[in-house]
Amino acid sequence: MNFYSDDKLTALEAKEQAQRLAFAPVSFQTAQALRKLGILSALTNYQERGASAAELALDTGVSEYGVAVLLDMALSIGLVTWQAPNYQLTKLGHFVDHDAMTIASIDFVADICYQGMDKLTESIQQAKPVGLQYLGDWETLYPGLSQLTEQQKNSWFNFDHYYSDRSFGTLLEKVFATPTTSLCDIGANTGKWTLQCCQHDSQVQVTMVDLPPQLQVALENMVTHGFQQRVQAQACDLLNPQNALPEGKDVYWMSQFLDCFSKEQIVSILTRVTQAMRPDSRVYILELFPDCQPYESASHALNATSLYFTAIANGNSRFYMSHEFLPLIEQAGLTIVSQTDNIGLGHTLIECHKA
């Protein structure tokens, strides 16, 4: 990762960026308001000609003042350009209003992170997710996922699934390249990976491991798709080091799961995986590493999301740099057999065997 090795800004450029940083929350809320009020969408209909504030006010039912004050800030953000008397949508404005990845990220920040990030300093000082108070009264977010509002749940799951879902095809090929009759899906969440496995292989038996509220949703999904006969569930709080994992499976699978824990907890979980394995069992860990990304924007997003873990999710985890994460695997008694980067939208798949 060479994105951050040099200070490339001049003093004047640095001062300008500092001002943009100071008003970044205003920029974010401006983009949100333009989306929610339908102004960006209305502007799309005018294509290259653009539209005046008065025209957009008629189209959206927003006052001309409201349209103009938002679009003037949008000029500074780069969402629109101006050729009197009309505003024109830029490529950036189009992505903010239409790009699925951008929308998933914006909604996640707006509905899950925005208020809680105000408590980032306290979360660092207290080593706990102080910002979680804006979502609910839980020690960590995970037991409360099923209790979020529908809008919050949609934003959380859309963000989580957007990235993982685009890796499934490649991952299924890799995992099932070796005959697999039993698989343990650790951190099964809503059961998306389990469903993919059952659809991919008509014989595989899957055991899902997660907290009870998540497993209830996952089991309902199995019934809906007719896989309840091939899927079992084991409720397990893996924060308790005494809680063991199902033994003797062909494959132990963890997707975007271990980033939800501290280093010590990761070693504890992987040690219990090692204890549950047969000598020929395989472990697959799917993670996102900021230092394994081909584009700086991806590293930026992962580093920012790490602070969601800090202030909101649990207070002690993150998207780890690979050089911090990989030694934890070996500490747990596993040997890394292969590492495949840039799967889907920047995932890394690590295959491990017992040491």
Side-chain angles (χ1 to χ4, degrees), residues 86-108:
N86 293 338
Y87 298 92
Q88 294 93 19
L89 195 69
T90 63
K91 295 182 184 69
L92 176 58
H94 173 83
F95 282 124
V96 165
D97 201 41
H98 296 285
D99 178 61
M101 181 191 297
T102 304
I103 291 169
S105 296
I106 288 177
D107 288 345
F108 174 72

Side-chain angles (χ1 to χ4, degrees), residues 162-197:
Y162 183 87
Y163 295 92
S164 60
D165 289 4
R166 280 147 186 82
S167 304
F168 282 159
T170 301
L171 298 170
L172 288 166
E173 289 180 8
K174 287 184 176 293
V175 171
F176 287 91
T178 301
T180 301
T181 59
S182 61
L183 184 146
C184 182
D185 184 0
I186 304 172
N189 212 323
T190 60
K192 274 213 163 188
W193 172 252
T194 292
L195 282 175
Q196 292 289 323
C197 291

